[in-house]
Amino acid sequence: MKCVIIDDEPLAIDVLTKHLKKTQGLTLQRSFQNAFEALYYVQTQKVDLVFLDIQMPGIKGLQFIRILKYPPKIIITTAYKEYALEALELGVVDYLLKPIPYHRFLSAVSKAMEMKSLPKTSSLGKEISKDKYYFCKEGPVYVKVHERDIGYVHGNRNYCIIHLHNQKIKVKGNLGYYSSVFSEDNFARVHKSYLVSLDRIEKYDSDSLWINGDVIPIGRTYKTVLWDYLKEKTL
């Protein structure tokens, strides 16, 4: 994951940089003490994860999030606990209080890696290739599954249930794995336990969406990006 640190305190940047260097799967692209410079960079470059302070001169952290039309995954790093609820309502991955121990940093990063943000391109929600399929192991046999037939995937700790048009398949593996395998053009996490086909959403309200007649909850962490997609499709 390509990461950016935004914090006006050099010591805080140093701590996060050390944490990043000893964590596999993370690459520090840039660090910024100036929020205005950081804003331009995040808006114009491919950034997967931002570590964002709240109390900064010029642009406060929560203002920074609201300005971004398509925010990347964001982890708040701050000394102020009173903004936690507001930040979580904006869809941040986690809220870390300084000084940040490595185990909390690692926990937050793990959440970010498991999440699947909706992509920023106009290809989002495009028609799935009719030829794309997988053989998924259910018990001792391998079942052919076309992406176009998948409504959603319900994940548990050690296995997932793939919900198709008229059947369910129980497969090994966690939801993060299937989130990385299925086409990012049309599949997105909407809850820590659900991965859905955007093309198969039948209806939605502020807290849930429906696929195959089933009610699927929308997690608070995932709402911001999901709303951006749904608003573009709503008359």
Side-chain angles (χ1 to χ4, degrees), residues 161-187:
I161 305 294
I162 300 176
H163 291 252
L164 306 172
H165 280 302
N166 53 9
Q167 70 178 119
K168 302 175 186 178
I169 298 175
K170 184 177 180 179
V171 293
K172 288 185 177 180
N174 60 37
L175 198 60
Y177 170 74
Y178 292 98
S179 178
S180 67
V181 169
F182 296 149
S183 300
E184 66 176 17
D185 295 330
N186 199 66
F187 286 85

Side-chain angles (χ1 to χ4, degrees), residues 118-215:
L118 300 183
K120 301 179 182 180
T121 66
S122 59
S123 64
L124 180 63
K126 72 182 181 183
E127 184 178 356
I128 304 171
S129 169
K130 294 182 179 180
D131 297 324
K132 195 159 189 178
Y133 63 86
Y134 309 90
F135 284 99
C136 299
K137 188 177 182 182
E138 184 180 34
V141 302
Y142 290 83
V143 181
K144 188 175 186 178
V145 175
H146 286 270
E147 277 199 356
R148 67 175 183 268
D149 294 332
I150 300 172
Y152 65 94
V153 184
H154 183 195
N156 288 282
R157 286 187 177 181
N158 301 314
Y159 69 91
C160 291
I161 305 294
I162 300 176
H163 291 252
L164 306 172
H165 280 302
N166 53 9
Q167 70 178 119
K168 302 175 186 178
I169 298 175
K170 184 177 180 179
V171 293
K172 288 185 177 180
N174 60 37
L175 198 60
Y177 170 74
Y178 292 98
S179 178
S180 67
V181 169
F182 296 149
S183 300
E184 66 176 17
D185 295 330
N186 199 66
F187 286 85
R189 291 283 284 270
V190 297
H191 185 277
K192 66 180 181 179
S193 300
Y194 289 91
L195 173 71
V196 307
S197 168
L198 297 168
D199 190 54
R200 298 285 300 281
I201 296 174
E202 298 163 353
K203 57 183 178 179
Y204 71 92
D205 61 22
S206 60
D207 298 307
S208 309
L209 54 84
W210 282 257
I211 294 178
N212 296 344
D214 297 334
V215 182

Side-chain angles (χ1 to χ4, degrees), residues 42-80:
V42 173
Q43 287 177 322
T44 58
Q45 304 297 318
K46 175 67 171 68
V47 178
D48 300 310
L49 179 60
V50 173
F51 296 90
L52 178 65
D53 189 20
I54 283 186
Q55 291 293 359
M56 296 183 293
I59 304 176
K60 304 300 182 185
L62 300 185
Q63 293 174 327
F64 187 97
I65 298 172
R66 291 188 178 98
I67 291 171
L68 295 172
K69 184 175 181 180
Y70 299 106
K73 300 178 183 73
I74 294 175
I75 295 174
I76 294 294
T77 59
T78 181
Y80 300 89

